[in-house]
Amino acid sequence: EMLDTEAQESYAEFSTPLKVLGWITHFGILMPLAIAGMIAAWPERRRLSIVYALAIAYAASVVMFFVFARYRYPLVPFLILFAAALARSPFDSKQRSFRTLFLAQGSRRGQLAALLIAVAIFCNLPVLSSTLMMSITENNLGTAFLERGQYDQAIAHNQRSIALRPDYAPGHNNLGAALRAAGRLDEAIASYQKALELKPDFASASYNLANAQLEQGKAGDSVESFRRSIEANPNSVEAHNNLGIALANRGDAAGAIAEFRAALAIDDRSVHAHRNLGNMLVDAGQRAEGMSHLERAAQLAPSEPEAIYDIGTILLQDQNFAAAAARFEAALKIRPNWAEAHNNLGIALASQGRIADALTHFERAVELKPSMQDARANRDQARAALRK
């Protein structure tokens, strides 16, 4: 059987019945027996026509699609019925058993035997090795644990996936993802690099490696890895966007703007690309276009406050304090416990002479983030101003 998400062999490690019976209770045994039963029951085809029709119709529908084991399960009851025909008594004069059929004519017996042997061979040809399927199962389990935030279990399953098949590149890539999530960045990078060594055009591994290098502060290395990922998958919005971030970190503003534009050319609804391009354009002096991209990001993701905050920050720098305050208030409605937004709202309010209101937000910023020195200084200045 070809696995979908989990291989039967993996379950057999924990189940004695599966381990013992798995050698005979599978499709490769049932199908040849069912074909033999169909032949044996053929003289009664009129009475069994509905069973033949249902089995053949469903089998035909299955072969039209990519076949995983689970798509064939509805065939099993029909196949069991036909396979059971072989167990009928050869002495029943009203039934024609498998044995009676095969003893009828020597030449026909040879033809039928050849057919059944061919069916048996075909149904038992391995699609994937059992070791590879177990490795894929462990890899999938690792992904599931990673999504649940159980990093130790994710790492353990991905390591087992690699132990089963050291040449399985997705196992190395997903081990890297689990290690990175667990904060083990150097080991994660080594895993991504191993995946790329095994599969040089592995776009996902290149992309993950680039993000890990960017997180490590190696903007130059991450640029090359992002470009490698884009070569393998040119239409990746995320790769173009993150390459723009890496170029910006390296000081290449023009290159970063070009990559953000490339991301939007692929998907004009990319919130991150709009926001990043907007901020880069404002920094480059193209304020009107930059603000339009930030407004677009805010429109596309009304439940995300980052673009609204960015617009407020730009308005604050422009000394448009009332408009800036309105934006920070809008951001705080979405994310009430955002220390930076409270601090900037306090600045906008204090700049309008609303010191008491500003102090409330400075104090809230310090409460949320005690290590925030700007908020502490602003709080102390507001307190001093109110004491005068």
Side-chain angles (χ1 to χ4, degrees), residues 168-242:
Y168 184 51
H172 290 279
N173 179 53
N174 285 4
L175 174 59
L179 289 166
R180 182 184 171 200
R184 296 159 62 176
L185 202 54
D186 291 339
E187 294 173 78
I189 287 173
S191 291
Y192 294 139
Q193 289 171 334
K194 181 62 178 177
L196 288 167
E197 179 184 323
L198 293 167
K199 190 178 179 182
D201 62 345
F202 197 169
S204 179
S206 297
Y207 176 76
N208 290 336
L209 172 60
N211 284 322
Q213 290 168 330
L214 188 59
E215 186 178 339
Q216 202 176 43
K218 297 180 178 179
D221 291 341
S222 70
V223 165
E224 297 308 314
S225 296
F226 279 127
R227 284 178 172 156
R228 184 175 179 180
S229 176
I230 290 170
E231 285 179 8
N233 184 13
N235 293 322
S236 171
V237 175
E238 293 80 8
H240 281 287
N241 179 70
N242 288 11

Side-chain angles (χ1 to χ4, degrees), residues 59-184:
S61 71
V62 168
V63 298
M64 294 172 65
F65 302 97
F66 191 78
V67 179
F68 285 116
R70 60 188 171 94
Y71 294 117
R72 296 198 300 272
Y73 286 159
L75 270 175
V76 170
F78 300 111
L79 298 180
I80 290 176
L81 286 174
F82 284 114
L86 302 180
R88 293 180 301 177
S89 170
F91 303 106
D92 187 341
S93 60
K94 296 181 180 180
Q95 306 279 356
R96 195 173 185 190
S97 71
F98 176 70
R99 179 185 173 193
T100 304
L101 179 68
F102 270 65
L103 291 178
Q105 296 180 13
S107 60
R108 190 177 182 189
R109 183 173 66 239
Q111 294 172 355
L112 293 175
L115 172 63
L116 292 179
I117 290 171
V119 170
I121 292 172
F122 176 77
C123 290
N124 286 279
L125 287 174
V127 179
L128 296 175
S129 74
S130 59
T131 303
L132 175 58
M133 290 193 290
M134 291 174 68
S135 177
I136 295 172
T137 300
E138 294 294 333
N139 182 59
N140 292 341
L141 280 168
T143 300
F145 278 114
L146 177 60
E147 291 173 352
R148 293 174 61 178
Q150 296 175 265
Y151 304 136
D152 290 342
Q153 292 93 327
I155 290 169
H157 283 288
N158 287 129
Q159 286 174 333
R160 182 141 197 274
S161 173
I162 293 168
L164 287 164
R165 282 295 294 261
D167 61 342
Y168 184 51
H172 290 279
N173 179 53
N174 285 4
L175 174 59
L179 289 166
R180 182 184 171 200
R184 296 159 62 176

Side-chain angles (χ1 to χ4, degrees), residues 32-50:
L33 292 175
I35 294 295
M38 287 181 179
I39 295 170
W42 185 247
E44 303 168 64
R45 56 189 176 277
R46 289 186 178 178
R47 184 171 66 88
L48 301 174
S49 59
I50 186 63

